[in-house]
PDB file of all heavy atoms in Angstrom:
ATOM      1  N   PRO O 874      24.813  17.407  72.673  1.00 77.00           N
ATOM      2  CA  PRO O 874      24.693  16.780  73.961  1.00 77.00           C
ATOM      3  C   PRO O 874      25.881  17.063  74.890  1.00 77.00           C
ATOM      4  O   PRO O 874      26.973  17.324  74.435  1.00 77.00           O
ATOM      5  CB  PRO O 874      24.619  15.310  73.619  1.00 77.00           C
ATOM      6  CG  PRO O 874      25.259  15.118  72.305  1.00 77.00           C
ATOM      7  CD  PRO O 874      25.009  16.448  71.610  1.00 77.00           C
ATOM      8  N   PRO O 875      25.661  17.097  76.200  1.00 75.00           N
ATOM      9  CA  PRO O 875      26.705  17.345  77.096  1.00 75.00           C
ATOM     10  C   PRO O 875      27.821  16.296  77.008  1.00 75.00           C
ATOM     11  O   PRO O 875      27.542  15.134  76.790  1.00 75.00           O
ATOM     12  CB  PRO O 875      26.072  17.306  78.504  1.00 75.00           C
ATOM     13  CG  PRO O 875      24.813  16.599  78.328  1.00 75.00           C
ATOM     14  CD  PRO O 875      24.370  16.770  76.895  1.00 75.00           C
ATOM     15  N   SER O 876      29.044  16.725  77.155  1.00 74.00           N
ATOM     16  CA  SER O 876      30.193  15.835  77.102  1.00 74.00           C
ATOM     17  C   SER O 876      30.271  14.934  78.309  1.00 74.00           C
ATOM     18  O   SER O 876      30.094  15.372  79.426  1.00 74.00           O
ATOM     19  CB  SER O 876      31.451  16.666  76.992  1.00 74.00           C
ATOM     20  OG  SER O 876      32.562  15.789  76.971  1.00 74.00           O
ATOM     21  N   GLN O 877      30.535  13.696  78.055  1.00 73.00           N
ATOM     22  CA  GLN O 877      30.554  12.725  79.184  1.00 73.00           C
ATOM     23  C   GLN O 877      31.986  12.130  79.290  1.00 73.00           C
ATOM     24  O   GLN O 877      32.258  11.227  79.992  1.00 73.00           O
ATOM     25  CB  GLN O 877      29.574  11.618  78.925  1.00 73.00           C
ATOM     26  CG  GLN O 877      28.176  12.137  78.780  1.00 73.00           C
ATOM     27  CD  GLN O 877      27.135  11.156  79.283  1.00 73.00           C
ATOM     28  OE1 GLN O 877      27.379  10.064  79.655  1.00 73.00           O
ATOM     29  NE2 GLN O 877      25.934  11.650  79.170  1.00 73.00           N
ATOM     30  N   THR O 878      32.980  12.805  78.649  1.00 76.00           N
ATOM     31  CA  THR O 878      34.325  12.303  78.699  1.00 76.00           C
ATOM     32  C   THR O 878      35.137  12.954  79.830  1.00 76.00           C
ATOM     33  O   THR O 878      36.208  12.477  80.132  1.00 76.00           O
ATOM     34  CB  THR O 878      35.032  12.553  77.382  1.00 76.00           C
ATOM     35  OG1 THR O 878      35.049  13.952  77.091  1.00 76.00           O
ATOM     36  CG2 THR O 878      34.353  11.868  76.262  1.00 76.00           C
ATOM     37  N   THR O 879      34.624  14.031  80.436  1.00 72.00           N
ATOM     38  CA  THR O 879      35.340  14.689  81.547  1.00 72.00           C
ATOM     39  C   THR O 879      35.305  13.826  82.726  1.00 72.00           C
ATOM     40  O   THR O 879      34.184  13.392  83.196  1.00 72.00           O
ATOM     41  CB  THR O 879      34.757  16.020  81.766  1.00 72.00           C
ATOM     42  OG1 THR O 879      34.688  16.780  80.577  1.00 72.00           O
ATOM     43  CG2 THR O 879      35.549  16.825  82.830  1.00 72.00           C
ATOM     44  N   PRO O 880      36.396  13.552  83.417  1.00 72.00           N
ATOM     45  CA  PRO O 880      36.375  12.701  84.588  1.00 72.00           C
ATOM     46  C   PRO O 880      35.658  13.505  85.726  1.00 72.00           C
ATOM     47  O   PRO O 880      35.787  14.702  85.848  1.00 72.00           O
ATOM     48  CB  PRO O 880      37.837  12.419  84.907  1.00 72.00           C
ATOM     49  CG  PRO O 880      38.580  13.484  84.247  1.00 72.00           C
ATOM     50  CD  PRO O 880      37.801  13.913  83.029  1.00 72.00           C
ATOM     51  N   PRO O 881      35.062  12.775  86.616  1.00 73.00           N
ATOM     52  CA  PRO O 881      34.401  13.468  87.738  1.00 73.00           C
ATOM     53  C   PRO O 881      35.470  14.079  88.666  1.00 73.00           C
ATOM     54  O   PRO O 881      36.586  13.554  88.867  1.00 73.00           O
ATOM     55  CB  PRO O 881      33.685  12.354  88.433  1.00 73.00           C
ATOM     56  CG  PRO O 881      34.256  11.088  87.995  1.00 73.00           C
ATOM     57  CD  PRO O 881      34.847  11.383  86.682  1.00 73.00           C
TER      58      PRO O 881
END
Side-chain angles (χ1 to χ4, degrees):
S876 176
Q877 303 210 359
T878 59
T879 307

